[in-house]
Amino acid sequence: MQSVIKHTIYVFLVVFALTALASLGALIYLWYSGANGSGVADLPYLKWLLGIVIAEVVGVVVLIAKKGIKYLPEVEVNKTEVETLEFMKRFIDSGSSVAIVSNRVAWLRKSEPIKDAITQMARNGTSLEIITPNEVSLGIREPLSEAGVVFYITGEEIPPEARFTLVDGHRSGAEKLAIARGGHPDHEITIFDNSSGPQIIAMAKDIVRKSKALSNAS
């Protein structure tokens, strides 16, 4: 399929080049016809050629722009903490498996709707894993563990800088990774998928795997 698309693009570019050359040749012909004092020759199809060239230029720009946009990550800026908590709930709810790497899981303490959503998802069979350097308080951990959420405590003395949420990490090609930075009102969340950030998703999966190994070893 990719080969067909590639050849179609090549044919499109060849047609574009031939049309552009024909239009340019006609313009040159007109220029020299007028310079000899014989008047401008009648070229009834020139306007169509020029119109097609312009349309093809627009088509090429749109084609390249669409291809480029595919490789750009999605960015969401939250002005308030409520918006961020809503995003977390929506993002977690979009996957069949979720791995959360966090330092203090503060958002779990701040949002009952997120806790309720996670609990319900775990009861419905969604794989939910939360990785933290320190123990999560019993009041938060116990009801989630009973619902099926698995906690991994790495016991690291120096808290890791990496904090992210990985959705569908077990489905190759369908992964989504959300990484946040900054604070409100300029709290920015970047969402990578397999087109916009395959390498960074691979690194996130490595961190999850190594954190689990570290947790099981302690």
Side-chain angles (χ1 to χ4, degrees):
M1 185 62 184
Q2 287 182 338
S3 177
V4 173
I5 294 174
K6 187 169 68 175
H7 284 93
T8 302
I9 291 174
Y10 286 154
V11 169
F12 182 79
L13 290 175
V14 168
V15 171
F16 166 70
L18 291 176
T19 310
L21 285 173
S23 301
L24 186 61
L27 286 172
I28 293 173
Y29 177 77
L30 272 177
W31 177 271
Y32 283 105
S33 296
N36 292 333
S38 57
V40 176
D42 185 19
L43 294 174
Y45 300 111
L46 179 60
K47 61 181 180 182
W48 291 105
L49 286 172
L50 290 174
I52 291 171
V53 169
I54 293 172
E56 286 173 339
V57 169
V58 172
V60 169
V61 170
V62 171
L63 189 69
I64 294 173
K66 285 182 70 176
K67 192 174 179 63
I69 288 172
K70 179 183 176 184
Y71 295 100
L72 291 177
E74 180 184 345
V75 176
E76 180 168 325
V77 178
N78 297 150
K79 296 188 178 303
T80 65
E81 190 175 71
V82 173
E83 290 180 355
T84 301
L85 294 174
E86 281 296 319
F87 167 82
M88 279 295 293
K89 182 176 179 297
R90 193 170 65 249
F91 188 68
I92 290 171
D93 196 37
S94 69
S96 59
S97 68
V98 181
I100 301 166
V101 177
S102 179
N103 188 15
R104 296 176 294 116
V105 287
W107 46 273
L108 271 179
R109 294 195 301 272
K110 295 177 179 177
S111 177
E112 284 298 325
I114 290 182
K115 277 202 300 184
D116 294 341
I118 289 177
T119 302
Q120 193 58 46
M121 287 174 65
R123 286 175 178 161
N124 291 337
T126 301
S127 170
L128 280 151
E129 299 167 336
I130 297 177
I131 300 168
T132 63
N134 301 306
E135 288 281 357
V136 179
S137 66
L138 191 63
I140 294 176
R141 190 181 70 244
E142 193 170 56
L144 292 174
S145 296
E146 288 175 355
V149 178
V150 180
F151 285 84
Y152 292 92
I153 312 301
T154 61
E156 295 165 283
E157 293 182 1
I158 301 175
E161 293 189 17
R163 301 167 195 176
F164 56 82
T165 301
L166 178 65
V167 165
D168 287 334
H170 302 302
R171 295 173 58 193
S172 181
E175 305 94 333
K176 283 190 176 181
L177 175 70
I179 301 176
R181 68 169 186 170
H184 303 102
D186 297 312
H187 188 250
E188 184 177 293
I189 303 172
T190 307
I191 304 122
F192 297 93
D193 60 18
N194 207 44
S195 296
S196 59
Q199 291 86 3
I200 197 167
I201 286 177
M203 285 192 291
K205 292 167 87 170
D206 285 343
I207 291 173
V208 170
R209 187 178 66 254
K210 291 181 179 180
S211 296
K212 288 181 183 178
L214 185 62
S215 173
N216 293 329
S218 59

